[in-house]
Amino acid sequence: MTIDSWKPGATRDIEPQASSFRLPPLAAYVHIPWCVRKCPYCDFNSHAAGPDLPEDDYVRALLADLATDAGHVYGRKLTSIFFGGGTPSLFSATALGRILDGLERQVGFDSDIEITLEANPGTFEQAKFADYRALGINRLSIGIQSFQADKLKALGRIHDGGEAIRAAAMARRAGFDNFNLDLMHGLPQQSVADALADIDQAIELGPTHLSWYQLTMEPNTVFWSQPPELPEDDALWEIQEAGQARLAEAGFVQYETSAYARDGRRARHNLNYWTFGDFLGLGAGAHAKLSSPDGHIVRTWKTRLPKDYLNPDKAFQAGERPLAPADLPFEFMMNALRLVDGVPTALFSERTGLPLQNIEAACRQARQAGLLAEDEQRLRPTERGQLFLNDLLQHFLP
C-alpha cells in the first residue's frame, strides 16, 4: 500500500486503533543535503558540495515533494519547521523564502510557529543572516562542536574558535534572540578542563539552548574505520557529571538526554518528535511520521541520494512502514522517555489510540527495576532510567 492510497476508512491488514486517538500536532523537516566538506564522524545524509550547487533545481523538487505529501495534513497547520542538513545556510535567503512560501501556501502556519535553520560558523555572513531573519526564520542552531583548535582539527571542522565566537555575535546582530549551540564532548585527547572550557565559552555567548552530546563512532564514517583515541570511560563519566553541573549553575535546565534550555526556550520542533507528534519529511533522505484521523500511523522516507531526488523519472518516496498496534508502545516510549520529565500518562492513548492497559505490565516491570518513576500522572524515567535508557526501553519491545 502506498501512502497516496492511505485515506481515512481504507481497509488495511492491521486492526483499527481505539477512539481515544487524537491527531497530533504537525511539523515539517526540510533536508538540505550539502556541506562544504563531510566531517569524519558524521553519519547523516550529507554530501560535499561541488562548485555549482543545484539550488534552484532542489527547491523545485522540494516543492513538488511537498505537493505529494500535502494530502496527509488533514487541516492541520505547521507548529514548527526545521531546516537541517547538511548545511542549510549554504542556500540563499531567496531559496529558503521560496520553500517557506510553498509551505505556508500548501499547509499553513500556526501564529507562533518556530522556524529553525541549522548553520555552521564557516558559512556565516551577517547580511545573509539578517535576510534569513526577515523571512520569518526565528531560531538558529549553530554547529560549534568545540572552540579549541586541536579539537576542531581532530573533528575535521572547517571553522576555528574565533569564527564560532563571531558567529554567535552575528546571529544576535541579525536579530536572532533565540539560538542553539551544538557542542560535543568525549573528544580525542579531551580532558575535563577542556570540556568545561568549551561549556564556559558557550555560556558566555548567551545562547538560549545548548545541545551537548558525546561523540560516538557510527558505522559508514571515517571514524568508524579509522577510530581516534577517545577518553576512557572513567574520564567520560567525569566530563558528563562536571559538565551537567556547570550547565545547571548557569541556568540551563536539562529536559532531554542531550538538550539544555534557559528561560523555557525548549526546542519545540524536537519536543514534537519526543512527544510522538507528526512531521512531514521533505528532501533527499528525509523521514516522516504521518497519522490519519482513524488512528493509523505510517513512517515514510524519501530517496536518499540528491541526484536521484532531483531525477524527474524517480519517485520522491523510497519506502514506508505502517506501524502495527504491537509496534506502538516501543515507538512511543523510544521518544517520550528521552525527556527528563517524561510525558503525561494520558498522552500515550491520545497519540497511539491504545488503552493504557496495553503497557501496564511493562510499566510495572520497569518500575520494579527502578527505571520508571512511581508516578501515576506521568510516564517518566528515574535518574537510573535516564542513565540506562536502552534497558528501560527493552520493557516495551513487541
Side-chain angles (χ1 to χ4, degrees):
M1 179 177 67
T2 67
I3 192 169
D4 291 327
S5 66
W6 180 51
K7 304 293 182 186
T11 302
R12 299 175 179 80
D13 57 2
I14 54 178
E15 62 189 76
Q17 304 302 294
S19 60
S20 55
F21 178 81
R22 300 288 182 272
L23 270 177
L26 180 70
Y29 174 79
V30 182
H31 190 69
I32 310 294
W34 291 282
C35 286
V36 175
R37 184 173 67 194
K38 181 84 170 180
C39 296
Y41 59 84
C42 178
D43 68 335
F44 296 149
N45 181 28
S46 60
H47 309 267
D52 298 313
L53 197 62
E55 185 178 85
D56 288 342
D57 290 342
Y58 195 73
V59 170
R60 281 194 291 270
L62 280 171
L63 295 176
D65 186 4
L66 171 62
T68 66
D69 283 357
H72 308 289
V73 170
Y74 298 107
R76 291 170 292 176
K77 293 183 178 181
L78 294 173
T79 61
S80 66
I81 300 167
F82 194 99
F83 288 96
T87 307
S89 54
L90 290 176
F91 270 32
S92 68
T94 299
L96 296 184
R98 288 170 57 198
I99 298 168
L100 289 172
D101 286 345
L103 285 163
E104 187 168 24
R105 185 174 59 255
Q106 296 195 52
V107 184
F109 295 173
D110 273 358
S111 59
D112 63 343
I113 187 170
E114 175 192 89
I115 306 177
T116 302
L117 176 77
E118 281 189 336
N120 286 329
T123 63
F124 261 76
E125 302 171 27
Q126 187 173 337
K128 188 177 182 181
F129 277 76
D131 290 341
Y132 290 156
R133 185 67 188 91
L135 293 175
I137 294 171
N138 51 24
R139 185 174 181 273
L140 288 180
S141 182
I142 307 171
I144 302 293
Q145 314 313 350
S146 176
F147 294 94
Q148 297 164 36
D150 59 330
K151 305 301 186 293
L152 290 168
K153 182 178 180 180
L155 292 172
R157 303 294 287 174
I158 63 171
H159 68 272
D160 60 31
E163 285 179 301
I165 293 169
R166 288 191 295 275
M170 286 183 187
R172 286 198 174 283
R173 286 198 295 270
F176 289 96
D177 61 356
N178 187 16
F179 65 92
N180 168 69
L181 299 181
D182 267 4
L183 284 180
M184 284 185 175
H185 61 89
L187 306 180
Q189 310 298 318
Q190 188 178 49
S191 65
V192 175
D194 290 335
L196 292 179
D198 273 344
I199 289 175
D200 288 341
Q201 177 62 81
I203 291 169
E204 187 178 324
L205 296 176
T208 50
H209 192 283
L210 280 169
S211 298
W212 188 61
Y213 51 93
Q214 185 178 325
L215 172 64
T216 56
M217 303 296 101
E218 302 293 344
N220 303 314
T221 65
V222 173
F223 275 4
W224 182 261
S225 56
Q226 303 171 36
E229 184 177 346
L230 300 180
E232 299 291 336
D233 286 347
D234 287 348
L236 290 172
W237 179 247
E238 191 176 353
I239 288 171
Q240 180 78 25
E241 284 196 312
Q244 287 183 327
R246 187 65 58 87
L247 288 166
E249 289 170 5
F252 284 89
V253 176
Q254 183 182 14
Y255 67 97
E256 187 268 343
T257 302
S258 57
Y260 303 77
R262 294 189 69 177
D263 305 322
R265 294 294 189 102
R266 300 181 177 194
R268 284 191 276 143
H269 186 85
N270 289 344
L271 281 172
N272 186 59
Y273 292 146
W274 297 323
T275 54
F276 213 49
D278 276 3
F279 51 96
L280 300 167
L282 306 172
H287 285 238
K289 171 189 168 279
L290 300 166
S291 305
S292 67
D294 62 4
H296 289 82
I297 302 170
V298 64
R299 291 195 182 277
T300 70
W301 53 95
K302 302 297 171 64
T303 187
R304 186 174 189 277
L305 295 177
K307 67 179 181 64
D308 293 332
Y309 186 81
L310 291 170
N311 186 340
D313 295 326
K314 292 184 179 290
F316 293 120
Q317 185 167 302
E320 68 179 46
R321 181 172 68 90
L323 299 183
D327 298 325
L328 291 173
F330 180 78
E331 290 273 345
F332 179 89
M333 292 296 191
M334 178 177 62
N335 291 281
L337 294 180
R338 289 181 62 92
L339 293 168
V340 172
D341 293 331
V343 297
T345 303
L347 193 68
F348 175 78
S349 293
E350 289 178 18
R351 297 286 159 90
T352 67
L354 299 176
L356 195 61
Q357 291 91 320
N358 282 38
I359 59 169
E360 281 183 347
C363 288
R364 183 168 56 252
Q365 293 167 3
R367 288 180 177 123
Q368 289 171 350
L371 300 170
L372 191 69
E374 297 281 354
D375 186 340
E376 292 184 1
Q377 302 304 313
R378 300 190 71 82
L379 297 166
R380 61 180 177 87
T382 60
E383 288 189 15
R384 177 179 171 81
Q386 292 173 44
L387 291 173
F388 299 99
L389 183 57
N390 288 339
D391 292 343
L392 171 53
L393 293 174
Q394 294 296 313
H395 291 278
F396 300 95
L397 284 170

